Every structure is written in structure tokens, then in C-alpha cells.
Amino acid sequence: MASVDVEMAKCACEDCECVVFLSKAVTRDGKAYCCDECADGRKDHAGCEHAGCIFHG
């Protein structure tokens, strides 16, 4: 079986639809997030502010 290099992944935040480059992702507990707000569980209910994100933008 051939190996596949993954460069992008969906943000691990359940409510977020952002797709992030793994090289630029915020990593917590082995999961990739689009930003600190999502990685922190959006404690202050702030959005990720990424343009085009239907849940936060």
C-alpha cells in the first residue's frame, strides 16, 4: 500500500468548517485547529474570524 502525505485537514473544532494547512495549524493534544480560539474550545464564544467560515466568520 502506498503512503499518502497529508498537507491539509479540517479543523478539529466540531463547530468549525475551516480547512487548515498542517504546517500552520495550532496543535493541541495531537489535533490540528485553525486558530487558538478553536483550540481553546472557544471559551469566550468568539469565532475564528476566518473569511468564508460559515460557522464563525
Side-chain angles (χ1 to χ4, degrees), residues 2-53:
S3 66
V4 176
D5 289 332
V6 177
E7 294 181 14
M8 298 179 79
K10 182 192 168 295
C11 177
C13 176
E14 292 180 14
D15 297 326
C16 186
E17 290 295 316
C18 288
V19 176
V20 62
F21 281 102
L22 295 178
S23 61
K24 295 183 179 188
V26 175
T27 345
R28 304 263 172 85
D29 299 323
K31 297 178 183 176
Y33 296 90
C34 66
C35 61
D36 285 320
E37 289 82 7
C38 284
D40 291 338
R42 297 184 296 116
K43 294 175 187 173
D44 60 359
H45 301 286
C48 72
E49 300 179 5
H50 288 147
C53 180

